[in-house]
Amino acid sequence: MDQNTAFQRIQELSRQIEHHNHLYYVSAKPVISDYEFDQLLEELIRLEKQFPQLKQPESPSQRVGGTITKEFKTVVHKYPMLSLGNTYSETELREFDERVQKIIGDVPEYICELKFDGVAIGISYENGVLVRAVTRGDGVQGDDVTANVKTIRSIPLKLANGNYPASFEIRGEIFMPRSSFDKINDTIYRQLQEDGYNEEEIADRLLKNPRNAAAGTIKMQDSKVVASRNLDCFLYFIYGENLPFKNHYESLKQAKEWGFKISEFYLKSKGIDGVFDYINEWNVHRFDLPYDTDGVVIKVNDFRQQQELGFTAKSPRWAIAYKFKAESVSTKLLEVTYQVGRTGAITPVANLEPVQLSGTTVRRASLHNADQIEKLDLHEGDYVFC
Ligand code: IVH
């Protein structure tokens, strides 16, 4: 095959592979078999080996990884990566709404979204090509994890033709679906058991939860391992100059058309009442989702109103996160001490490795009586739920 024909074929294969990637990982509507998909990818990899000068930085062959990053480059965010004010209380959410109404002098339209429990990422596109992906870091600067992010199949490496801005940054949350998390832990468990570790040592080495797993995975040095761990990503915000939308809702719809994975569960609500309905619904249905969410994010839809509301030192005044109360959380039992009450009654107290539960730090828990300790067969170093 001559170079020109190879070039044409590489272009065509890349386009087809990205198209099928999108159908599979974003739309969940694949039209070819895994086998046929692998054939296309193999042909592309073969041609790129034969004509290395034709390999493009946005080639879908990078989805399989292979880049080793010894040290991640630090990159200053063009737009600081702010976090959101958050609350667990309905009263505070009503107060947020009152503040908003006071400033804009109107009943706002809100967009409610799920709060995905993962790690924040900012992905930059130049002329439709993914050029950089940076973690939050301290909000001012983060780590360049581009090679690892390119292995996430739902993130487009090259946008299909469309009217996207020449340069923009899209922000989102990288997460690990629960099924991937369970599968990886299962493999780790078997391996450690085979290597002769006991249950306690194994428990210490397993991935703690999908969020930690996502955070750890995105900072791995070998992008092949990252590729094997099936991370995913929902996008929820666009930064850029002279963007062609008037409100957040439009930006989500556009981002979806450009090929990004946008959660389908957002809701537009005029006024705060619909926001409460959304929260109550998802407080229950979140357990039916294949990934973890830890709350709801409420954003003022209109960009002019967002501008009017502005920012505090740390977070935008036009958005807030309402966090779901954690059901329960596990932590390590450090020791059991005994507390003598005013009446002389002795209560055993569990001293715990401090853990966050619904906005407070839990350090101690009453065990009621000594029988309880025996019944639970509690020992120091055990993991307990509170
Ligand atoms: S909006 C200025 N939307 O929660 C806009 N954040 O402290 C800020 N998160 O930093 C982000 N789901 O890492 C937004 N639907 C969502 C989100 C979301 C999860 C994360 C994100 C953010 C943190 C809030």
Side-chain angles (χ1 to χ4, degrees):
M1 188 183 286
D2 66 50
Q3 178 151 318
N4 196 29
T5 319
F7 176 75
Q8 299 298 334
R9 185 65 187 151
I10 284 176
Q11 295 278 315
E12 177 57 17
L13 284 166
S14 299
R15 201 193 52 73
Q16 281 187 22
I17 291 167
E18 280 300 84
H19 174 64
H20 290 299
N21 247 325
H22 185 269
L23 288 174
Y24 190 100
Y25 290 99
V26 180
S27 314
K29 285 188 193 114
V31 296
I32 60 171
S33 67
D34 290 0
Y35 175 77
E36 286 168 296
F37 182 86
D38 290 343
Q39 294 292 64
L40 294 173
L41 191 57
E42 268 167 38
E43 187 185 345
L44 176 65
I45 292 171
R46 213 169 41 238
L47 277 177
E48 285 179 345
K49 263 210 187 105
Q50 207 180 332
F51 298 92
Q53 69 278 21
L54 297 180
K55 183 170 172 174
Q56 304 212 284
E58 69 273 20
S59 167
S61 60
Q62 291 174 82
R63 300 283 194 197
V64 295
T67 311
I68 307 278
T69 313
K70 279 267 171 285
E71 214 172 310
F72 294 103
K73 246 189 3 224
T74 307
V75 179
V76 175
H77 291 295
K78 187 163 176 195
Y79 307 93
M81 246 197 203
L82 301 171
S83 61
L84 294 176
N86 67 50
T87 178
Y88 289 87
S89 115
E90 293 192 7
T91 316
E92 282 178 17
L93 188 51
R94 291 211 182 271
E95 286 165 6
F96 163 81
D97 176 49
E98 281 157 20
R99 273 196 307 277
V100 169
Q101 291 203 46
K102 206 162 154 193
I103 295 175
I104 65 171
D106 198 359
V107 176
E109 191 164 71
Y110 289 115
I111 302 296
C112 306
E113 293 166 22
L114 296 174
K115 186 169 185 303
F116 309 105
D117 202 7
V119 281
I121 193 81
I123 314 175
S124 302
Y125 286 81
E126 302 285 346
N127 301 315
V129 174
L130 187 164
V131 290
R132 204 176 315 101
V134 183
T135 61
R136 172 203 292 284
D138 61 7
V140 176
Q141 52 184 39
D143 288 327
D144 184 330
V145 290
T146 309
N148 287 347
V149 165
K150 282 182 172 179
T151 68
I152 302 175
R153 307 216 172 203
S154 59
I155 297 178
L157 300 176
K158 188 175 181 186
L159 305 182
N161 288 336
N163 56 341
Y164 45 77
S167 168
F168 69 94
E169 180 179 337
I170 191 159
R171 297 255 169 101
E173 201 82 355
I174 291 178
F175 63 94
M176 187 178 278
R178 254 181 255 127
S179 58
S180 316
F181 173 78
D182 291 341
K183 217 160 94 192
I184 297 163
N185 257 353
D186 211 52
T187 312
I188 299 177
Y189 185 89
R190 272 174 228 240
Q191 186 59 54
L192 292 173
Q193 219 178 21
E194 223 176 271
D195 295 347
Y197 288 90
N198 67 36
E199 290 293 318
E200 199 178 328
E201 291 165 332
I202 294 178
D204 265 350
R205 285 168 173 76
L206 288 178
L207 302 173
K208 294 287 172 273
N209 56 50
R211 177 170 41 81
N212 275 348
T217 303
I218 208 61
K219 295 288 289 290
M220 288 177 119
Q221 295 191 333
D222 185 350
S223 64
K224 255 209 180 72
V225 183
V226 182
S228 74
R229 286 192 154 196
N230 296 318
L231 293 173
D232 207 339
C233 183
F234 279 125
L235 286 312
Y236 47 64
F237 205 80
I238 302 178
Y239 281 99
E241 269 138 53
N242 306 319
L243 294 176
F245 356 90
K246 294 191 300 295
N247 58 51
H248 183 60
Y249 187 77
E250 278 178 17
S251 75
L252 291 179
K253 284 212 166 313
Q254 273 293 330
K256 182 167 183 221
E257 259 158 50
W258 296 337
F260 292 101
K261 184 158 176 160
I262 309 294
S263 162
E264 61 190 295
F265 301 124
Y266 56 85
L267 176 87
K268 192 154 53 166
S269 161
K270 181 93 180 163
I272 199 74
D273 290 343
V275 174
F276 282 109
D277 294 341
Y278 182 89
I279 289 173
N280 292 334
E281 182 185 338
W282 283 106
N283 195 17
V284 179
H285 288 305
R286 66 183 163 128
F287 298 107
D288 303 331
L289 296 170
Y291 44 81
D292 285 354
T293 57
D294 59 342
V296 165
V297 178
I298 300 116
K299 301 172 184 170
V300 170
N301 190 25
D302 189 87
F303 284 163
R304 260 206 302 233
Q305 293 178 341
Q306 284 191 6
Q307 227 170 3
E308 217 176 317
L309 287 155
F311 297 82
T312 69
K314 280 191 306 203
S315 49
R317 276 201 204 87
W318 43 262
I320 192 167
Y322 179 90
K323 303 254 272 191
F324 297 132
K325 293 188 178 59
E327 295 276 280
S328 76
V329 60
S330 84
T331 188
K332 200 172 189 165
L333 174 65
L334 299 176
E335 68 170 337
V336 177
T337 52
Y338 294 85
Q339 190 175 306
V340 185
R342 265 181 303 128
T343 59
I346 295 172
T347 317
V349 176
N351 292 265
L352 306 164
E353 204 158 79
V355 66
Q356 289 292 319
L357 181 68
S358 308
T360 53
T361 308
V362 182
R363 296 168 201 279
R364 288 155 64 81
S366 163
L367 290 165
H368 307 294
N369 57 51
D371 286 358
Q372 186 80 358
I373 303 178
E374 210 160 315
K375 206 163 93 204
L376 292 170
D377 192 22
L378 269 186
H379 295 97
E380 287 170 9
D382 280 357
Y383 277 84
V384 292
F385 281 93
C386 42

